[in-house]
Amino acid sequence: MTAAGSIPDPAELKAARVLVVDDNRINRHLLTALLERGGVGHLETAGDGNEALDLLDTFRPDLILLDLMMPHLDGFDMCRRLRAMPAWQDLPVLVQSSLNRAEDRARAFAAGATDYVAKPINAVELLSRVRIHLQNRALLADLRLFRQRTERELALARQMQERLMPSPERLAGTAAAGVRIDAHFAPSSELGGDCWDLHRDGRGRLIVHLVDFSGHGVGAALNTFRLHAITQRMDFTEYDPAAFLAAINRRLCPLLPAGQFATMLSGVVDTAENRFVYASAGSTRPLVWGPGGAAPEAGDGSGLPLGLVDGIDYQTRTLPLPPGGRLFLYSDAALEIPIAGGGVLDEDGLLGLVDACGRDDPDGAAFLDRLRLALADSGPIDDDLTALLVTRMAGA
């Protein structure tokens, strides 16, 4: 591919397909001869707009050189019909006409013409414009292919990122620990840095952690893969939340580029002590509430994010979690939704939605679905949204 503004490569012109549409046979011959001498390799002609439209699917032109004044279907109407076809909306149409008034040019452009040259034709000008439009079309085709390939690769990366999350089979297996987990994960339009996972300690207790890396795109997504690889190599037999975060921080500090970090909450559901024992590295505040309509209690999410400073100690904290109680963990996308009137949803707004969506509904998945819709109704969600509802099973 040649650089913008330069003469196209002869091989590109040789591969180009130009459709000449003119009711005058002599003009068609003159134009095709000119284009052939200019290096265009594939030429076809049509005597009016109807004939030209019939040739589109078989000849598949890269450019149309169009006369405006023709019988049956003139150039104006042909342009309008062409632009109504999704497959040909961006096809270059170079009009050549003896109509030289500003009103005629404006009418041609309104109908869908790309460019306009006046008769009598100047051969050098015509060839230059043909080359420019063919080059632009080739560039646009390359960009379209690049975008399609990028979108496919991003979709694959999103699928891989989603596979880092616990599968439905793993979620079903949490019942053995006396816990049910309902989860919602919705990646943003681009790759992001949310992830969460489950583990068991040596006593069979359920460990849950939620992570949110700074930034978006490929870099943030790669960091989630890094963290997943780190946690898979760790020993959870003698799990301690604060020591776990300190160990993760030690491993992340040399891996993350300057300015990148992660917030994380990691904790264990202790059914024997009816509590959730956790540590936080700058995460959102966990919410717990007991059965029977008890008001939610917010935990402490403070702590230095991971990956910034090596050698940091973290604090172990506890929240009550009796049988029938619930623990709600969420990413900061739920708090940073812009709302009408300015500002963001923040914690008070989220608590209001949690109450309004029926936080005591026995069907945790239905509660999360209602909450997801309520968050979307509050404003645009521009980040990955993760929400986990951990329910202590009655009698467990």
Side-chain angles (χ1 to χ4, degrees):
M1 180 57 60
T2 56
S6 63
I7 297 175
D9 187 277
E12 294 177 359
L13 282 175
K14 192 69 176 175
R17 312 176 73 84
V18 175
L19 175 60
V20 178
V21 187
D22 197 308
D23 64 312
N24 187 298
R25 182 175 57 84
I26 295 176
N27 285 345
R28 293 199 299 271
H29 289 322
L30 288 173
L31 291 170
T32 54
L34 174 62
L35 292 170
E36 283 177 349
R37 287 198 301 272
V40 177
H42 302 276
L43 292 161
E44 183 61 88
T45 62
D48 61 43
N50 285 319
E51 185 180 348
L53 293 175
D54 290 339
L55 287 170
L56 289 177
D57 291 334
T58 54
F59 182 62
R60 303 200 65 79
D62 297 306
L63 180 143
I64 292 178
L65 184 56
L66 176 67
D67 184 31
L68 286 179
M69 303 308 295
M70 298 182 295
H72 308 305
L73 184 69
D74 65 21
F76 297 107
D77 286 335
M78 179 190 157
C79 272
R80 279 189 282 269
R81 294 192 188 182
L82 183 75
R83 296 314 186 200
M85 303 175 183
W88 303 104
Q89 287 179 345
D90 61 354
L91 178 68
V93 176
L94 177 55
V95 165
Q96 44 99 21
S97 176
S98 58
L99 299 176
N100 292 323
R101 297 183 308 164
E103 295 85 351
D104 298 320
R105 293 172 178 266
R107 185 182 169 200
F109 287 125
T114 307
D115 201 354
Y116 197 110
V117 292
K119 291 181 178 179
I121 294 296
N122 180 293
V124 174
E125 178 187 9
L126 179 65
L127 284 175
S128 295
R129 296 199 183 199
V130 166
R131 288 167 176 165
I132 288 172
H133 290 297
L134 288 174
Q135 183 184 60
N136 287 344
R137 181 166 174 80
L139 288 171
L140 287 173
D142 284 349
L143 287 173
R144 189 178 296 111
L145 290 174
F146 174 78
R147 178 178 178 179
Q148 292 171 352
R149 184 174 69 251
T150 301
E151 288 176 348
R152 288 195 300 269
E153 292 173 352
L154 288 175
L156 177 60
R158 277 194 291 270
Q159 292 172 7
M160 294 173 62
Q161 188 177 14
E162 290 174 14
R163 291 192 187 106
L164 297 181
M165 318 297 170
S167 64
E169 292 75 20
R170 287 184 64 195
L171 292 182
T174 62
V179 171
R180 186 180 76 247
I181 294 185
D182 296 289
H184 170 76
F185 171 71
S188 63
S189 58
E190 56 181 319
L191 293 176
D194 276 16
C195 64
W196 71 279
D197 206 352
L198 300 172
H199 298 276
R200 295 284 190 91
D201 69 2
R203 296 158 56 183
R205 300 181 303 176
L206 188 71
I207 299 166
V208 58
H209 59 248
L210 188 150
V211 184
D212 185 359
F213 278 94
S214 60
H216 300 282
V218 174
L222 287 175
N223 286 335
T224 66
F225 290 103
R226 289 188 177 109
L227 180 68
H228 183 76
I230 289 171
T231 58
Q232 296 308 301
R233 295 195 299 266
M234 296 188 70
D235 183 3
F236 290 91
T237 304
E238 298 296 332
Y239 169 78
D240 173 79
F244 173 75
L245 286 190
I248 293 291
N249 183 58
R250 283 195 303 272
R251 289 164 171 80
L252 278 181
C253 278
L255 296 178
L256 296 185
Q260 294 186 9
F261 60 88
T263 63
M264 184 172 187
L265 185 142
S266 181
V268 60
V269 178
D270 189 338
T271 56
E273 300 292 335
N274 294 325
R275 62 182 185 170
F276 177 62
V277 184
Y278 72 99
S280 172
S283 72
T284 55
R285 300 173 68 189
L287 298 177
V288 295
W289 58 88
E297 176 183 346
D300 188 345
S302 62
L304 190 70
L306 305 174
L308 294 177
V309 181
D310 197 358
I312 296 297
D313 292 326
Y314 293 90
Q315 181 180 350
T316 297
R317 301 169 176 131
T318 62
L319 283 169
L321 192 61
R326 280 179 161 169
L327 165 70
F328 181 58
L329 306 177
Y330 52 94
S331 58
D332 60 7
L335 303 178
E336 297 175 351
I337 300 173
I339 57 176
V344 294
L345 187 65
D346 69 31
E347 289 184 353
D348 288 339
L350 177 62
L351 279 171
L353 293 181
V354 166
D355 283 337
C357 292
R359 54 184 168 81
D360 291 319
D361 187 340
D363 187 343
F367 162 73
L368 286 183
D369 281 341
R370 289 193 296 271
L371 181 61
R372 173 182 58 84
L373 293 173
L375 289 170
D377 288 341
S378 300
I381 302 175
D382 297 325
D383 199 355
D384 298 343
L385 176 63
T386 305
L388 308 178
L389 186 65
V390 181
T391 304
R392 279 283 312 275
M393 298 171 67

